[in-house]
Amino acid sequence: MMQAIVLSPKPVIAAVQGVATAAGCQLVASCDLAVASEAAGFATPGVDIGLFCSTPMVALSRNVPRKHAMHMLLTGEPVSARRAQELGLVNSVVTPGTERDAAIALADCIAKKSAHTVKIGKNAFYRQLEMPLAEAYRYAAQVMTENMLARDAEEGINAFIEKRDPTWEDR
């Protein structure tokens, strides 16, 4: 499921209401974006029971700086929503009870963009992360060239020049 989130052509947004531990923390880290309630918390406490959170480690280590990920994994200590935002595990922290609405507002903002462009960008984002720097730039330049040939790029540029909202065709 975690890989399916990354491979999905559409962005996946987590709305975290309470405590997300182990696989729950992994799920949040696997999502493209995350909104958390001030009451939310995050932990990888497997080490406390003699079971290192090795699968949550994969997503966590790709979203949180190395030293902080190791601290979470080696201590099992919980992290507050505010600290999770500082670490990059969540994008925003909101008043309890509004996390779902905030996630939907974020989704609505993205839904107004070209679905074709969002798909291209999400795929390119994850692919380039695994490449050496020079290869990532070559790949990104290729993606940019292909994206520029898309109908939605033409429409978006024309709409910008003509100072109007674009009409996306998602191609």
Side-chain angles (χ1 to χ4, degrees), residues 114-121 142-159 166-171:
S114 159
H116 180 69
T117 303
V118 168
K119 176 184 173 181
I120 288 169
Q142 175 188 344
V143 170
M144 178 64 82
T145 301
E146 291 172 9
N147 191 182
M148 287 293 294
L149 299 174
R151 172 66 186 111
D152 280 356
E154 179 184 356
E155 168 60 14
I157 292 166
N158 287 338
T167 303
W168 304 122
E169 295 179 23
D170 295 326
R171 60 182 184 101

mmCIF file of all heavy atoms in Angstrom, residues 114-121 142-159 166-171:
data_model
loop_
_atom_site.group_PDB
_atom_site.id
_atom_site.type_symbol
_atom_site.label_atom_id
_atom_site.label_comp_id
_atom_site.label_asym_id
_atom_site.label_seq_id
_atom_site.Cartn_x
_atom_site.Cartn_y
_atom_site.Cartn_z
ATOM 1 N N SER A 114 -3.806 21.321 -13.604
ATOM 2 C CA SER A 114 -3.897 20.296 -14.639
ATOM 3 C C SER A 114 -3.548 18.935 -14.037
ATOM 4 O O SER A 114 -2.444 18.749 -13.516
ATOM 5 C CB SER A 114 -2.913 20.621 -15.772
ATOM 6 O OG SER A 114 -2.620 19.471 -16.541
ATOM 7 N N ALA A 115 -4.464 17.984 -14.130
ATOM 8 C CA ALA A 115 -4.210 16.633 -13.611
ATOM 9 C C ALA A 115 -3.028 16.002 -14.345
ATOM 10 O O ALA A 115 -2.232 15.268 -13.749
ATOM 11 C CB ALA A 115 -5.456 15.771 -13.747
ATOM 12 N N HIS A 116 -2.895 16.306 -15.621
ATOM 13 C CA HIS A 116 -1.783 15.777 -16.424
ATOM 14 C C HIS A 116 -0.452 16.301 -15.884
ATOM 15 O O HIS A 116 0.501 15.546 -15.706
ATOM 16 C CB HIS A 116 -1.976 16.178 -17.895
ATOM 17 C CG HIS A 116 -0.907 15.684 -18.809
ATOM 18 N ND1 HIS A 116 -0.752 14.353 -19.106
ATOM 19 C CD2 HIS A 116 0.067 16.342 -19.483
ATOM 20 C CE1 HIS A 116 0.273 14.210 -19.932
ATOM 21 N NE2 HIS A 116 0.787 15.406 -20.175
ATOM 22 N N THR A 117 -0.402 17.584 -15.595
ATOM 23 C CA THR A 117 0.824 18.197 -15.086
ATOM 24 C C THR A 117 1.153 17.695 -13.684
ATOM 25 O O THR A 117 2.323 17.413 -13.383
ATOM 26 C CB THR A 117 0.690 19.728 -15.096
ATOM 27 O OG1 THR A 117 0.401 20.155 -16.427
ATOM 28 C CG2 THR A 117 1.948 20.402 -14.603
ATOM 29 N N VAL A 118 0.150 17.565 -12.832
ATOM 30 C CA VAL A 118 0.366 17.055 -11.478
ATOM 31 C C VAL A 118 0.915 15.626 -11.547
ATOM 32 O O VAL A 118 1.861 15.278 -10.828
ATOM 33 C CB VAL A 118 -0.934 17.130 -10.654
ATOM 34 C CG1 VAL A 118 -0.818 16.348 -9.346
ATOM 35 C CG2 VAL A 118 -1.309 18.589 -10.383
ATOM 36 N N LYS A 119 0.352 14.816 -12.430
ATOM 37 C CA LYS A 119 0.816 13.432 -12.599
ATOM 38 C C LYS A 119 2.278 13.405 -13.044
ATOM 39 O O LYS A 119 3.092 12.668 -12.480
ATOM 40 C CB LYS A 119 -0.063 12.721 -13.620
ATOM 41 C CG LYS A 119 0.369 11.319 -13.959
ATOM 42 C CD LYS A 119 -0.517 10.729 -15.052
ATOM 43 C CE LYS A 119 0.000 9.392 -15.517
ATOM 44 N NZ LYS A 119 -0.837 8.834 -16.594
ATOM 45 N N ILE A 120 2.616 14.211 -14.030
ATOM 46 C CA ILE A 120 4.001 14.280 -14.523
ATOM 47 C C ILE A 120 4.936 14.703 -13.385
ATOM 48 O O ILE A 120 5.990 14.108 -13.170
ATOM 49 C CB ILE A 120 4.107 15.285 -15.697
ATOM 50 C CG1 ILE A 120 3.441 14.729 -16.949
ATOM 51 C CG2 ILE A 120 5.568 15.642 -15.986
ATOM 52 C CD1 ILE A 120 3.279 15.765 -18.056
ATOM 53 N N GLY A 121 4.544 15.740 -12.672
ATOM 54 C CA GLY A 121 5.383 16.272 -11.603
ATOM 55 C C GLY A 121 5.571 15.316 -10.454
ATOM 56 O O GLY A 121 6.689 15.164 -9.940
ATOM 57 N N GLN A 142 14.630 16.457 -19.340
ATOM 58 C CA GLN A 142 13.837 15.663 -20.282
ATOM 59 C C GLN A 142 12.349 15.763 -19.942
ATOM 60 O O GLN A 142 11.511 15.954 -20.832
ATOM 61 C CB GLN A 142 14.297 14.203 -20.226
ATOM 62 C CG GLN A 142 13.480 13.258 -21.073
ATOM 63 C CD GLN A 142 13.864 11.800 -20.826
ATOM 64 O OE1 GLN A 142 14.900 11.495 -20.261
ATOM 65 N NE2 GLN A 142 13.005 10.906 -21.255
ATOM 66 N N VAL A 143 12.021 15.668 -18.659
ATOM 67 C CA VAL A 143 10.627 15.776 -18.220
ATOM 68 C C VAL A 143 10.082 17.163 -18.569
ATOM 69 O O VAL A 143 8.961 17.295 -19.072
ATOM 70 C CB VAL A 143 10.489 15.495 -16.703
ATOM 71 C CG1 VAL A 143 9.097 15.851 -16.200
ATOM 72 C CG2 VAL A 143 10.805 14.043 -16.409
ATOM 73 N N MET A 144 10.878 18.202 -18.329
ATOM 74 C CA MET A 144 10.448 19.573 -18.633
ATOM 75 C C MET A 144 10.165 19.725 -20.127
ATOM 76 O O MET A 144 9.151 20.310 -20.519
ATOM 77 C CB MET A 144 11.521 20.577 -18.191
ATOM 78 C CG MET A 144 11.168 22.018 -18.517
ATOM 79 S SD MET A 144 9.702 22.632 -17.663
ATOM 80 C CE MET A 144 10.415 23.065 -16.113
ATOM 81 N N THR A 145 11.038 19.181 -20.958
ATOM 82 C CA THR A 145 10.848 19.267 -22.413
ATOM 83 C C THR A 145 9.555 18.565 -22.821
ATOM 84 O O THR A 145 8.754 19.109 -23.585
ATOM 85 C CB THR A 145 12.054 18.656 -23.143
ATOM 86 O OG1 THR A 145 13.232 19.375 -22.752
ATOM 87 C CG2 THR A 145 11.885 18.726 -24.648
ATOM 88 N N GLU A 146 9.354 17.363 -22.318
ATOM 89 C CA GLU A 146 8.131 16.618 -22.644
ATOM 90 C C GLU A 146 6.897 17.340 -22.118
ATOM 91 O O GLU A 146 5.868 17.406 -22.795
ATOM 92 C CB GLU A 146 8.216 15.201 -22.082
ATOM 93 C CG GLU A 146 9.249 14.344 -22.790
ATOM 94 C CD GLU A 146 9.470 12.994 -22.121
ATOM 95 O OE1 GLU A 146 8.699 12.629 -21.200
ATOM 96 O OE2 GLU A 146 10.429 12.314 -22.515
ATOM 97 N N ASN A 147 6.985 17.913 -20.924
ATOM 98 C CA ASN A 147 5.868 18.642 -20.336
ATOM 99 C C ASN A 147 5.524 19.878 -21.168
ATOM 100 O O ASN A 147 4.349 20.221 -21.349
ATOM 101 C CB ASN A 147 6.204 19.013 -18.902
ATOM 102 C CG ASN A 147 5.024 19.551 -18.105
ATOM 103 O OD1 ASN A 147 5.193 19.912 -16.960
ATOM 104 N ND2 ASN A 147 3.831 19.626 -18.666
ATOM 105 N N MET A 148 6.537 20.557 -21.681
ATOM 106 C CA MET A 148 6.314 21.761 -22.495
ATOM 107 C C MET A 148 5.531 21.450 -23.775
ATOM 108 O O MET A 148 4.880 22.330 -24.330
ATOM 109 C CB MET A 148 7.640 22.418 -22.865
ATOM 110 C CG MET A 148 8.332 23.123 -21.715
ATOM 111 S SD MET A 148 7.429 24.566 -21.130
ATOM 112 C CE MET A 148 7.530 25.644 -22.544
ATOM 113 N N LEU A 149 5.591 20.209 -24.227
ATOM 114 C CA LEU A 149 4.875 19.808 -25.437
ATOM 115 C C LEU A 149 3.422 19.417 -25.167
ATOM 116 O O LEU A 149 2.652 19.197 -26.097
ATOM 117 C CB LEU A 149 5.613 18.646 -26.117
ATOM 118 C CG LEU A 149 7.038 18.956 -26.571
ATOM 119 C CD1 LEU A 149 7.723 17.688 -27.095
ATOM 120 C CD2 LEU A 149 7.051 20.053 -27.621
ATOM 121 N N ALA A 150 3.044 19.350 -23.913
ATOM 122 C CA ALA A 150 1.685 18.956 -23.536
ATOM 123 C C ALA A 150 0.702 20.085 -23.837
ATOM 124 O O ALA A 150 1.027 21.269 -23.747
ATOM 125 C CB ALA A 150 1.628 18.593 -22.048
ATOM 126 N N ARG A 151 -0.502 19.725 -24.161
ATOM 127 C CA ARG A 151 -1.560 20.695 -24.448
ATOM 128 C C ARG A 151 -1.808 21.609 -23.249
ATOM 129 O O ARG A 151 -2.017 22.814 -23.411
ATOM 130 C CB ARG A 151 -2.844 19.954 -24.854
ATOM 131 C CG ARG A 151 -4.060 20.837 -24.988
ATOM 132 C CD ARG A 151 -3.945 21.830 -26.145
ATOM 133 N NE ARG A 151 -5.062 22.737 -26.129
ATOM 134 C CZ ARG A 151 -4.971 24.041 -25.841
ATOM 135 N NH1 ARG A 151 -3.809 24.587 -25.590
ATOM 136 N NH2 ARG A 151 -6.041 24.797 -25.838
ATOM 137 N N ASP A 152 -1.781 21.066 -22.041
ATOM 138 C CA ASP A 152 -2.057 21.884 -20.866
ATOM 139 C C ASP A 152 -0.969 22.932 -20.623
ATOM 140 O O ASP A 152 -1.262 24.009 -20.102
ATOM 141 C CB ASP A 152 -2.245 21.013 -19.623
ATOM 142 C CG ASP A 152 -3.646 20.409 -19.550
ATOM 143 O OD1 ASP A 152 -4.483 20.724 -20.426
ATOM 144 O OD2 ASP A 152 -3.897 19.632 -18.613
ATOM 145 N N ALA A 153 0.255 22.641 -20.995
ATOM 146 C CA ALA A 153 1.317 23.650 -20.869
ATOM 147 C C ALA A 153 1.030 24.816 -21.813
ATOM 148 O O ALA A 153 1.152 25.986 -21.433
ATOM 149 C CB ALA A 153 2.683 23.039 -21.158
ATOM 150 N N GLU A 154 0.632 24.503 -23.024
ATOM 151 C CA GLU A 154 0.283 25.547 -23.998
ATOM 152 C C GLU A 154 -0.882 26.392 -23.476
ATOM 153 O O GLU A 154 -0.843 27.626 -23.501
ATOM 154 C CB GLU A 154 -0.091 24.918 -25.344
ATOM 155 C CG GLU A 154 -0.492 25.906 -26.405
ATOM 156 C CD GLU A 154 -0.947 25.249 -27.707
ATOM 157 O OE1 GLU A 154 -0.893 24.010 -27.824
ATOM 158 O OE2 GLU A 154 -1.362 25.997 -28.612
ATOM 159 N N GLU A 155 -1.900 25.716 -22.953
ATOM 160 C CA GLU A 155 -3.075 26.418 -22.419
ATOM 161 C C GLU A 155 -2.692 27.276 -21.219
ATOM 162 O O GLU A 155 -3.129 28.421 -21.094
ATOM 163 C CB GLU A 155 -4.163 25.408 -22.025
ATOM 164 C CG GLU A 155 -5.307 25.974 -21.210
ATOM 165 C CD GLU A 155 -6.100 27.092 -21.882
ATOM 166 O OE1 GLU A 155 -5.973 27.312 -23.104
ATOM 167 O OE2 GLU A 155 -6.861 27.774 -21.162
ATOM 168 N N GLY A 156 -1.891 26.739 -20.317
ATOM 169 C CA GLY A 156 -1.488 27.477 -19.124
ATOM 170 C C GLY A 156 -0.691 28.727 -19.462
ATOM 171 O O GLY A 156 -0.912 29.798 -18.881
ATOM 172 N N ILE A 157 0.229 28.613 -20.395
ATOM 173 C CA ILE A 157 1.042 29.762 -20.817
ATOM 174 C C ILE A 157 0.163 30.812 -21.491
ATOM 175 O O ILE A 157 0.265 32.007 -21.192
ATOM 176 C CB ILE A 157 2.202 29.302 -21.726
ATOM 177 C CG1 ILE A 157 3.200 28.475 -20.911
ATOM 178 C CG2 ILE A 157 2.884 30.497 -22.391
ATOM 179 C CD1 ILE A 157 4.200 27.694 -21.745
ATOM 180 N N ASN A 158 -0.718 30.361 -22.383
ATOM 181 C CA ASN A 158 -1.631 31.302 -23.048
ATOM 182 C C ASN A 158 -2.549 31.995 -22.044
ATOM 183 O O ASN A 158 -2.786 33.205 -22.139
ATOM 184 C CB ASN A 158 -2.458 30.590 -24.122
ATOM 185 C CG ASN A 158 -1.642 30.241 -25.339
ATOM 186 O OD1 ASN A 158 -0.598 30.844 -25.607
ATOM 187 N ND2 ASN A 158 -2.089 29.243 -26.088
ATOM 188 N N ALA A 159 -3.067 31.243 -21.086
ATOM 189 C CA ALA A 159 -3.953 31.826 -20.069
ATOM 190 C C ALA A 159 -3.198 32.868 -19.243
ATOM 191 O O ALA A 159 -3.745 33.927 -18.914
ATOM 192 C CB ALA A 159 -4.525 30.726 -19.175
ATOM 193 N N PRO A 166 -6.982 29.230 -16.779
ATOM 194 C CA PRO A 166 -6.827 28.198 -17.806
ATOM 195 C C PRO A 166 -8.004 27.230 -17.822
ATOM 196 O O PRO A 166 -8.684 27.044 -16.811
ATOM 197 C CB PRO A 166 -5.542 27.474 -17.378
ATOM 198 C CG PRO A 166 -5.418 27.723 -15.926
ATOM 199 C CD PRO A 166 -6.060 29.047 -15.661
ATOM 200 N N THR A 167 -8.222 26.632 -18.970
ATOM 201 C CA THR A 167 -9.208 25.583 -19.119
ATOM 202 C C THR A 167 -8.416 24.307 -19.431
ATOM 203 O O THR A 167 -7.942 24.123 -20.541
ATOM 204 C CB THR A 167 -10.189 25.880 -20.261
ATOM 205 O OG1 THR A 167 -10.821 27.152 -19.990
ATOM 206 C CG2 THR A 167 -11.247 24.801 -20.392
ATOM 207 N N TRP A 168 -8.244 23.474 -18.418
ATOM 208 C CA TRP A 168 -7.404 22.291 -18.576
ATOM 209 C C TRP A 168 -8.100 21.193 -19.356
ATOM 210 O O TRP A 168 -9.289 20.972 -19.216
ATOM 211 C CB TRP A 168 -7.007 21.746 -17.202
ATOM 212 C CG TRP A 168 -6.322 22.704 -16.318
ATOM 213 C CD1 TRP A 168 -6.720 23.113 -15.070
ATOM 214 C CD2 TRP A 168 -5.107 23.433 -16.572
ATOM 215 N NE1 TRP A 168 -5.830 24.000 -14.551
ATOM 216 C CE2 TRP A 168 -4.825 24.225 -15.450
ATOM 217 C CE3 TRP A 168 -4.220 23.478 -17.654
ATOM 218 C CZ2 TRP A 168 -3.713 25.048 -15.371
ATOM 219 C CZ3 TRP A 168 -3.114 24.298 -17.572
ATOM 220 C CH2 TRP A 168 -2.855 25.070 -16.439
ATOM 221 N N GLU A 169 -7.333 20.520 -20.187
ATOM 222 C CA GLU A 169 -7.821 19.354 -20.919
ATOM 223 C C GLU A 169 -7.224 18.070 -20.351
ATOM 224 O O GLU A 169 -7.547 16.984 -20.825
ATOM 225 C CB GLU A 169 -7.469 19.489 -22.406
ATOM 226 C CG GLU A 169 -8.179 20.653 -23.084
ATOM 227 C CD GLU A 169 -7.804 20.792 -24.553
ATOM 228 O OE1 GLU A 169 -7.370 19.802 -25.176
ATOM 229 O OE2 GLU A 169 -7.954 21.908 -25.089
ATOM 230 N N ASP A 170 -6.312 18.212 -19.399
ATOM 231 C CA ASP A 170 -5.633 17.086 -18.767
ATOM 232 C C ASP A 170 -4.928 16.193 -19.786
ATOM 233 O O ASP A 170 -4.991 14.967 -19.737
ATOM 234 C CB ASP A 170 -6.594 16.284 -17.878
ATOM 235 C CG ASP A 170 -7.080 17.128 -16.709
ATOM 236 O OD1 ASP A 170 -6.305 17.963 -16.208
ATOM 237 O OD2 ASP A 170 -8.234 16.945 -16.284
ATOM 238 N N ARG A 171 -4.229 16.894 -20.694
ATOM 239 C CA ARG A 171 -3.387 16.185 -21.666
ATOM 240 C C ARG A 171 -2.247 17.085 -22.083
ATOM 241 O O ARG A 171 -2.249 18.248 -21.915
ATOM 242 C CB ARG A 171 -4.179 15.708 -22.864
ATOM 243 C CG ARG A 171 -4.863 16.826 -23.642
ATOM 244 C CD ARG A 171 -5.674 16.237 -24.802
ATOM 245 N NE ARG A 171 -6.228 17.351 -25.573
ATOM 246 C CZ ARG A 171 -5.708 17.783 -26.717
ATOM 247 N NH1 ARG A 171 -4.650 17.213 -27.242
ATOM 248 N NH2 ARG A 171 -6.247 18.783 -27.356
#
